[in-house]
């Protein structure tokens, strides 16, 4: 592993840790309440009182960005947990059983790939109205086939290996072998994939909130802030810069972390992107 | 090859059928009464009954599915509830914006990514390779809708070269129409190009280590000729596959980017339809977009099999 790569890993880990810390701090403290409207101080420039200025309703941009980090990371986290929680068992099942079960599950995964998170979110919103839960669900559903494919792909080869055959000869069932032998051996691959999906989920959440299918106002979110900022792009261009920079920085951090982890854990793993 | 083609074709038809069933079940069966979903909770019973009759909701579910899916196959997409015009007409107008936009984005991202990826691979480990891949790393992280807003800031607000939003229509001539599509196409293309360039570089590096490239060098070809004649064509298979996978992201991106630039494309249409609870339009658009993803990936699989005969045998 080169010094260049480990520098990437450290930078990625630092950025990610910073984002998580900001999201956690936002739970208990932000400079101002992120939804507090203060019309007399609207569209204020950068100052000591408002380090990143205020928006058209006089809300403190720094506070909104911090609260947005919390909204963004929690949607992404739940979407990854949903995707891995259902996708990993399904992929492990396909790998363990093979045959028609494997075929059926993989064809179902192909089908699910035809519905990008955006289309699923469109359907859910048409059905049940907009909300942050839609975004989590839509991105989570999109993540299921991703995790199923990666799990199945990495687990299938392992089923031919000697240590699995040994476990089988000693009378272990499919489930026990999967839990005791298969999953620990593919944990690294899954961790890297989770990092990639986490980054994709942050972008997806921001995109859905931007078009109004995700987090709803007054709840602050980076995508929503970008949408609001666009109306005032001639008067206050900086408002459109900060939330996008926050999204880009988080995604960059997670991608660097994912690349670094991949090299660290298993140099032979091919990227699943 | 014929057996392979027939099997792929059968899988394609089944996947399209399954996708249309999923959309039908989610939007027509799950709501219970689609008429009530469209009219909201305050609707009067006689209005509801009238809408049910108009939409043919009294028929049994299998018949309703067949009418809808069969109609779509024949080009009859139903009538929009809010616009009162055939959905097929609405879609035809909007496709004239979305399709050129998506095509421009694909051409642009491929035109940037493949030469950059090959160039970076040929200078592996040098400062220029590191710089190109550093830029790509940032490009991958850029959300396209934010890039779109930044482009508006730079090239419509600060330098008034392009319109910030809107679309003059193709009737006004190709020049103003293309000018309105350039910034959105760039916003869509650059993040895709970054991913594609990274994969191209990795694929070319892999083939550069193969025996046939060494043989080409040994028989006297220059490094450049070996690269372009032997390494690059063989590296294209994963690149083509990735292009197919990126299509669904491109589609979602187009839908969002149309909202950034208020372009009257399919993306705007789908959001207007949601706001107005125009269920038929939502249903038609979702199934159309999902089917286009399925068909593009089918085409990409065929292209990959054509490029690499080994895949024909192993592909299922």
């Amino acid at each position: 592993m080169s010094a260049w790569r480990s520098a990437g890993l450290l930078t990625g880990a630092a950025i990610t840790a910073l984002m998580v810390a900001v999201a956690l701090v936002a739970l208990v403290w932000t400079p101002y309440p992120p939804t507090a409207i203060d019309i007399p101080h609207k569209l204020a420039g950068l100052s000591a009182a408002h380090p990143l200025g205020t928006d058209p309703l006089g809300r403190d941009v720094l506070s909104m960005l911090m609260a947005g980090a919390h909204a963004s990371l929690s949607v992404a986290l739940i979407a990854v947990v949903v995707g891995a929680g259902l996708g990993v068992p399904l992929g492990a099942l396909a790998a363990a059983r093979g045959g028609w079960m494997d075929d059926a599950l993989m064809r179902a995964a192909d089908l699910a790939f035809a519905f990008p998170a955006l289309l699923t979110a469109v359907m859910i919103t048409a059905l049940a109205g907009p909300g942050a839960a839609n975004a989590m669900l839509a991105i989570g559903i999109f993540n299921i086939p991703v995790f199923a494919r990666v799990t199945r792909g990495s687990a299938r080869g392992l089923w031919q290996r000697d240590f699995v055959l040994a476990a089988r000869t000693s009378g272990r069932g499919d489930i026990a072998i999967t839990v005791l032998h298969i999953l620990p051996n593919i944990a690294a691959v899954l961790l890297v994939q989770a990092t990639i999906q986490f980054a994709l989920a942050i972008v997806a959440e921001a995109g859905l909130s931007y078009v109004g299918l995700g987090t709803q106002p007054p709840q602050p979110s980076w995508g929503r802030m970008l949408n609001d900022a666009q109306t005032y792009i001639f008067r206050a261009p900086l408002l459109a810069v900060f939330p996008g920079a926050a999204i880009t920085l988080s995604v960059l951090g997670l991608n660097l972390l994912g690349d670094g982890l991949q090299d660290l854990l298993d140099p032979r793993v091919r990227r699943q992107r | 090859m014929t057996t392979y083609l027939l099997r792929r074709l059968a899988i394609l038809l089944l996947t399209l059928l399954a996708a249309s069933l999923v959309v039908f079940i989610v939007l027509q069966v799950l709501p219970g009464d689609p008429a009530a979903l469209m009219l909201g909770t305050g609707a009067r019973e006689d209005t509801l009954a009238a809408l049910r009759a108009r939409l043919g909701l009294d028929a049994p579910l299998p018949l309703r599915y067949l009418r809808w899916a069969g109609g779509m196959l024949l080009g009859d997409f139903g009538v929009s509830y809010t616009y009162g015009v055939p959905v097929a007409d609405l879609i035809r107008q909007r496709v004239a914006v979305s399709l050129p936009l998506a095509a421009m984005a694909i051409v642009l991202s491929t035109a940037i990514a493949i030469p950059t990826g090959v160039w970076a691979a040929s200078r592996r480990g040098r400062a220029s390779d590191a710089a190109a891949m550093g830029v790509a790393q940032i490009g991958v992280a850029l959300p396209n809708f934010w890039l779109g807003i930044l482009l508006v800031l730079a090239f419509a607000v600060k330098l008034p070269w392009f319109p910030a939003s809107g679309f003059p229509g193709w009737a006004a001539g190709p020049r103003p129409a293309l000018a309105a599509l350039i910034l959105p196409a760039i916003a869509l293309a650059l993040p895709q190009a970054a991913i594609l360039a990274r994969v191209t570089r990795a694929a070319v590096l892999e083939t550069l280590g193969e025996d046939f490239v060494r043989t080409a060098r040994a028989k006297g070809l220059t490094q450049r000729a070996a690269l372009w004649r032997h390494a690059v064509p063989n590296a294209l298979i994963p690149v083509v596959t990735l292009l197919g996978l990126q299509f669904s992201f491109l589609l979602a991106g187009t839908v969002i980017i149309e909202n950034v630039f208020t372009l009257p494309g399919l993306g705007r249409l789908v959001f207007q339809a949601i706001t107005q609870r125009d269920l038929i339009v939502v249903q038609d658009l979702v199934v159309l977009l999902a089917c286009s993803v399925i068909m593009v990936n089918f085409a990409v699989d065929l292209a990959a099999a054509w490029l690499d005969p080994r895949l024909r045998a192993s592909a299922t």
Side-chain angles (χ1 to χ4, degrees):
Chain A
M1 180 154 149
S2 68
W4 178 254
R5 279 298 205 176
S6 60
L9 175 65
L10 288 180
T11 316
I15 296 175
T16 308
L18 175 74
M19 286 298 161
V20 172
V22 167
L24 289 177
V25 169
L27 269 181
V28 291
W29 178 82
T30 50
Y32 296 82
T35 53
I37 292 173
D38 181 14
I39 302 287
H41 295 106
K42 69 174 182 181
L43 295 174
L46 317 186
S47 66
H50 297 283
L52 300 180
T54 61
D55 80 343
L57 295 175
R59 291 174 291 190
D60 179 55
V61 172
L62 178 63
S63 306
M64 290 176 78
L65 277 182
M66 290 175 67
H70 179 251
S72 181
L73 294 192
S74 31
V75 169
L77 181 67
I78 293 176
V80 170
V81 168
V82 168
L86 290 168
V88 171
L90 287 174
L93 180 69
R97 288 290 149 85
W100 68 267
M101 179 88 87
D102 185 25
D103 276 345
L105 283 170
M106 286 306 112
R107 289 293 84 78
D110 284 348
L111 179 62
F113 265 121
F115 293 91
L118 184 86
L119 285 191
T120 313
V122 161
M123 286 201 285
I124 300 174
T125 309
L127 204 63
N134 295 348
M136 290 179 194
L137 198 59
I139 306 168
I141 291 176
F142 184 74
N143 278 339
I144 297 173
V146 176
F147 279 102
R149 282 224 174 137
V150 172
T151 306
R152 182 242 186 203
S154 350
R156 241 163 63 113
L158 291 177
W159 277 94
Q160 316 299 328
R161 300 272 290 273
D162 289 343
F163 65 91
V164 171
L165 292 180
R168 178 161 271 181
T169 328
S170 67
R172 292 236 191 252
D174 284 351
I175 294 176
I177 293 178
T178 298
V179 172
L180 293 174
H181 300 288
I182 305 288
L183 288 183
N185 273 294
I186 64 172
V189 184
L190 292 179
L191 183 66
V192 170
Q193 193 63 38
T195 323
I196 294 170
Q197 294 312 118
F198 204 100
L200 286 176
I202 286 179
V203 178
E205 190 276 334
L208 291 176
S209 298
Y210 174 81
V211 292
L213 297 181
T215 313
Q216 294 297 304
Q219 199 53 245
S221 76
W222 293 340
R224 197 70 224 166
M225 287 173 78
L226 277 177
N227 191 322
D228 292 344
Q230 233 187 321
T231 327
Y232 288 84
I233 197 155
F234 290 93
R235 284 180 64 191
L238 273 183
L239 285 182
V241 173
F242 297 132
I247 302 169
T248 309
L249 191 64
S250 322
V251 174
L252 184 66
L254 283 162
N255 284 346
L256 287 173
L257 182 66
D259 286 358
L261 280 179
Q262 180 164 314
D263 288 1
L264 188 71
L265 296 171
D266 186 355
R268 290 161 306 157
V269 178
R270 290 292 305 272
R271 317 214 48 182
Q272 299 278 345
R273 237 206 245 248
Chain B
M1 188 69 189
T2 320
T3 332
Y4 170 76
L5 210 61
L6 284 177
R7 199 175 55 204
R8 293 294 324 196
L9 214 55
I11 293 174
L12 170 73
L13 291 178
L14 282 176
T15 317
L16 291 175
L17 180 74
S20 70
L21 272 172
V22 167
V23 175
F24 183 79
I25 288 170
V26 171
L27 292 177
Q28 290 287 327
V29 182
L30 288 187
D33 183 3
L37 184 72
M38 289 172 72
L39 292 176
T41 41
R44 283 180 23 204
E45 189 45 47
D46 52 338
T47 342
L48 278 172
L51 182 61
R52 276 191 213 114
R54 209 178 107 188
L55 298 176
L57 297 184
D58 310 320
L61 279 174
L63 186 62
R64 273 166 58 194
Y65 170 76
L66 285 178
R67 272 188 196 151
W68 171 65
M72 283 198 82
L73 284 179
L74 300 172
D76 172 16
F77 291 24
V79 175
S80 157
Y81 180 68
T82 40
Y83 294 94
V85 296
V87 182
D89 291 351
L90 284 178
I91 290 178
R92 207 171 296 129
Q93 293 161 11
R94 310 300 179 108
V95 164
V97 178
S98 299
L99 204 60
L101 174 59
M104 281 166 77
I106 292 181
V107 170
L108 199 60
S109 80
T110 320
I112 297 170
I114 293 185
T116 311
V118 174
W119 179 78
S122 72
R123 332 189 103 243
R124 175 188 205 176
R126 295 198 222 169
S128 45
D129 172 29
M133 287 306 111
V135 172
Q137 182 73 265
I138 293 170
V140 172
L142 274 179
N144 50 29
F145 51 96
W146 185 51
L147 184 57
I149 298 173
L150 290 183
L151 288 172
V152 167
L153 259 179
F155 300 109
V157 177
K158 299 277 178 213
L159 305 167
W161 294 350
F162 295 97
S165 67
F167 186 71
W170 291 103
R175 261 185 73 98
L178 285 176
L181 293 182
I182 285 181
L183 290 187
I186 295 176
L188 280 172
L190 288 186
Q192 302 252 31
I195 299 174
L196 206 54
R198 287 173 51 141
V199 173
T200 306
R201 175 182 176 273
V204 170
L205 281 182
E206 203 151 299
T207 50
L208 276 179
E210 300 262 358
D211 289 341
F212 58 82
V213 175
R214 211 169 310 144
T215 312
R217 288 283 283 147
K219 76 176 191 192
L221 252 63
T222 60
Q223 181 70 35
R224 175 180 292 263
L227 177 73
W228 284 102
R229 260 188 250 162
H230 295 278
V232 173
N234 282 288
L236 281 182
I237 295 160
V239 174
V240 168
T241 313
L242 180 77
L243 267 176
L245 289 176
Q246 278 192 332
F247 184 75
S248 81
F249 286 100
L250 178 74
L251 205 73
T254 312
V255 168
I256 293 177
I257 279 288
E258 283 174 8
N259 284 278
V260 176
F261 290 89
T262 40
L263 297 172
L266 294 175
R268 293 284 296 168
L269 184 60
V270 84
F271 288 110
Q272 284 158 357
I274 290 183
T275 329
Q276 294 154 348
R277 305 193 193 187
D278 201 337
L279 204 59
I280 297 127
V281 176
V282 175
Q283 192 176 329
D284 286 352
L285 281 173
V286 170
V287 86
L288 213 62
L289 295 177
C291 286
S292 70
V293 174
I294 295 171
M295 307 238 258
V296 164
N297 279 301
F298 172 72
V300 160
D301 280 355
L302 287 193
W306 178 68
L307 285 169
D308 186 354
R310 281 169 305 179
L311 287 178
R312 268 174 244 161
S314 65
T316 48

